[in-house]
Amino acid sequence: MCGIVGYIGDKKAFPIIINGLKRLEYRGYDSAGIALVNEETLTYKCKGKVSDLENFVKGKNINGNIGMGHTRWATHGEPNDVNAHPQISQNGYFTIIHNGIIENYSRLKKKLIDRGYKFESDTDTEVLANLIEYIYLKGKVNAEIAVRLALTKVIGAYGLVITCKEEKDKIIAARKGSPLVIGVGKGEYFLASDATPIVEHTKSVIYLNDDDVAILKKDELILKTISNNRLTPKIQKIDLEIGKIDKNGFEHFMLKEIFEQPRAINDTFRGRVNVDFSTIHLGGLYNVIPKLADAKRIIIIGCGTSWHAGLVGEYLFEDLARIPVEVEYASEFRYRKPIINSDDIIIAISQSGETADTLAAIKLAKEAGATVLGICNVVGSSIPRYTDAGVYTHAGPEIGVASTKAFTAQVTVLTMMALVLAEKRNTLTEKDKLKLIKELTEIPGIIEKILKNSEDYKKIAELYKDASNFLYLGRGYLFPVALEGALKLKEISYIHAEGYPAAEMKHGPIALIDQNMPVVVIATKDKSYEKIVSNIQEVKARNGIVIAVVSEGDTVIKSMADHVLEIPDTYEALSPLTTVIPLQLLSYYIAVMRGCNVDQPRNLAKSVTVE
Ligand code: M6R
């Protein structure tokens, strides 16, 4: 949460920082601010979005070749002008932007108040700015030492960019728990929470690790640890095209990303699946496959949509490879003293690779001696760096806060993993394995077909956009899809929605059903088909409105449901990849028709780097 950008060089910092903030706005959009180093440091900040900040600075002095910018997702203190970043220390020596949480801020604040400091904002960041200043003035040390000493007193997470009014030729950056990337240009450096603001300027980047501190001048970079050990910067080349982070003519990133799924899935299996030889090669797992195949138990962890993908993984691993699986919310797993054995395999799933709860759960599992694997989308993010091995999804940057293509790419990876394990464990016949591999490569084409029917989704969206509640039902592989459909709807349209295993309906949720309740039933032809037909009848008997996602040509459900959305049939194990598409489209059109900000839903942020 929160996006941070910094620049030092010979160019005008303002446009670089503003454009960078626009790319990072998916991380938070409660307020925005910028500081530009001049004779005096110019600071402009306001509640609202980056566009509000642009309006706010119109006609003002925006000169400067060194600067920083911030787009906020509020943690400490309501979203307002005062709590917006940058925060400035009491005597104006330090200007600072921060992504993360200083957990012991109230204790530090009290000590600073006792020493005469007064606070203007409610933020933990102002506490840090004042702590650095206090150490700087009291200890008569330079800015770098003051920052490092202050950080030894801090408990929590941070990505920081800091300037000091008495050392105008430098920016200091530090990282613990919140991501920070340095872009290396010629006579200039860039800083950002992820590589998307940097990629249009340079492809050379350095990913900071926890406890790293960087001291940047326009032609010098010094990297060290908080405890002053000098480090050698590792410059990496990134393979990220600017076109992939634009809307490319779509009205919203979410819609673009929904339509990108055939490409994203294809890129995720391309080079890994060979239909002719019926093989799957996952290079990132090469050394751990024997251990994985012998695992007594796999524990999958994730949050939100990634957790839903994990639930699909449970069905895949148990069904195809016959390995017991448990799926856990990372936030629960990390705090409930889980029993982790050294021969357990933990699979952490995350689009961003930065989710705080997932990272903490990984650390816990590693400390317990388990082998931890990652399924991640963002190359170079923290999770791939903290896990023992893993597989990247190649979905490309996902900017819409509602996860779409990341989900189908994650499920694609889980499917490939389950098939690799099924082969090793001899739990599938060669014929069945080939059938599944072949059909996996046909999924992009099937999704293309589904995407051609957008008009059908718009019609249903128009009819039910004013509903107050929705229920989503599915069985087996399609139960996690029901959960995912409900999450998509509630997060972007603010309509309350619940996902349920269809058979559980009669144990409670059925009481909610009346003539005003749309019930989305995912009812393609699989082994539970007859059962779900009965569930649909139960809904209809109580006058509920049934919107059913069915296999092409289905006549049985068509005769009883209010609306059917027909999609081509697939093997059951692959059905989450196709059945989720109608649900994504339905949520999208409902949210648009309700006038919601689809890409930046209220209260949310793309990358949840606080617990
Ligand atoms: O980056 P991650 O996959 O770790 O993020 C996990 C969740 O925060 C994320 O899936 C969230 O639930 C999305 N907004 C869902 O659309």
Side-chain angles (χ1 to χ4, degrees), residues 45-311:
K45 53 185 190 169
C46 59
K47 183 179 170 187
K49 305 205 164 167
V50 178
S51 54
D52 297 310
L53 178 66
E54 273 182 302
N55 288 331
F56 182 66
V57 300
K58 272 195 188 129
K60 299 199 166 84
N61 180 1
I62 49 166
N63 289 327
N65 310 114
I66 303 174
M68 62 177 84
H70 187 270
T71 175
R72 178 168 186 244
W73 186 84
T75 57
H76 293 65
E78 64 172 279
N80 60 26
D81 297 354
V82 178
N83 289 333
H85 296 208
Q87 289 288 320
I88 300 167
S89 61
Q90 178 170 287
N91 302 300
Y93 283 89
F94 289 90
T95 303
I96 154 170
I97 52 174
H98 170 213
N99 169 27
I101 288 186
I102 309 299
E103 287 170 12
N104 58 338
Y105 86 104
S106 56
R107 199 152 38 85
L108 295 172
K109 187 170 182 174
K110 190 174 173 308
K111 282 190 182 163
L112 286 163
I113 290 171
D114 291 346
R115 286 167 176 79
Y117 269 87
K118 293 198 169 51
F119 289 83
E120 286 184 1
S121 78
D122 305 315
T123 64
D124 50 346
T125 308
E126 189 187 10
V127 175
L128 183 55
N130 282 335
L131 178 63
I132 295 170
E133 182 182 272
Y134 175 76
I135 294 171
Y136 178 77
L137 294 175
K138 183 100 204 308
K140 296 191 173 52
V141 290
N142 67 24
E144 175 214 319
I145 296 176
V147 168
R148 285 194 293 99
L149 286 178
L151 293 182
T152 60
K153 306 197 181 313
V154 158
I155 299 169
Y158 48 78
L160 292 167
V161 177
I162 303 164
T163 56
C164 173
K165 76 167 182 183
E166 292 190 321
E167 298 180 32
K168 288 202 168 69
D169 60 338
K170 65 172 76 93
I171 287 183
I172 300 171
R175 171 201 157 125
K176 185 172 193 177
S178 298
L180 205 48
V181 188
I182 298 175
V184 183
K186 286 202 178 80
E188 59 184 357
Y189 289 99
F190 305 83
L191 279 157
S193 302
D194 69 34
T196 53
I198 293 176
V199 67
E200 63 193 276
H201 306 289
T202 174
K203 302 267 190 227
S204 302
V205 298
I206 300 162
Y207 292 100
L208 292 192
N209 289 313
D210 278 355
D211 294 329
D212 283 1
V213 177
I215 303 101
L216 303 163
K217 293 185 178 171
K218 67 177 185 178
D219 41 21
E220 184 187 58
L221 160 63
I222 294 173
L223 191 63
K224 43 174 75 172
T225 62
I226 289 173
S227 43
N228 203 21
N229 294 319
R230 207 48 197 260
L231 300 166
T232 309
K234 203 168 119 207
I235 299 180
Q236 303 181 27
K237 291 279 173 207
I238 40 166
D239 175 26
L240 183 61
E241 289 157 34
I242 196 75
K244 289 196 174 159
I245 43 182
D246 285 334
K247 283 191 204 146
N248 278 350
F250 283 88
E251 201 182 334
H252 294 101
F253 278 110
M254 183 181 176
L255 190 63
K256 176 195 166 215
E257 287 157 7
I258 290 173
F259 274 79
E260 274 181 339
Q261 288 176 104
R263 197 269 314 138
I265 294 173
N266 203 62
D267 282 357
T268 300
F269 66 64
R270 192 156 41 99
R272 291 167 167 165
V273 167
N274 186 323
V275 182
D276 295 337
F277 294 97
S278 177
T279 54
I280 294 178
H281 178 73
L282 296 172
L285 296 183
Y286 186 74
N287 293 327
V288 292
I289 290 288
K291 199 164 177 188
L292 193 50
D294 285 342
K296 304 255 172 330
R297 174 173 77 148
I298 292 174
I299 303 172
I300 302 180
I301 52 174
C303 303
T305 289
S306 296
W307 181 75
H308 295 157
L311 288 178

Side-chain angles (χ1 to χ4, degrees), residues 356-387:
D357 284 320
T358 311
L359 267 167
I362 289 171
K363 287 180 189 160
L364 182 83
K366 286 195 82 169
E367 276 158 25
T371 301
V372 185
L373 312 179
I375 298 177
C376 250
N377 194 39
V378 178
V379 176
S381 57
S382 300
I383 290 177
R385 288 187 287 135
Y386 288 129
T387 42

Side-chain angles (χ1 to χ4, degrees), residues 63 77 162 177 215 227 243 267 271 320 360 369 416 423 426 443 553 582 608:
N63 289 327
I162 303 164
I215 303 101
S227 43
D267 282 357
L320 306 181
M416 291 191 288
E423 172 165 15
N426 245 329
I443 292 290
V608 185

Side-chain angles (χ1 to χ4, degrees), residues 303-306 349-353 355 401-403 410 487-488 491 608:
C303 303
T305 289
S306 296
I349 306 180
S350 173
Q351 186 286 130
S352 61
T355 300
V401 165
S403 193
Q410 287 162 350
L487 176 61
K488 284 300 80 100
E491 69 178 326
V608 185

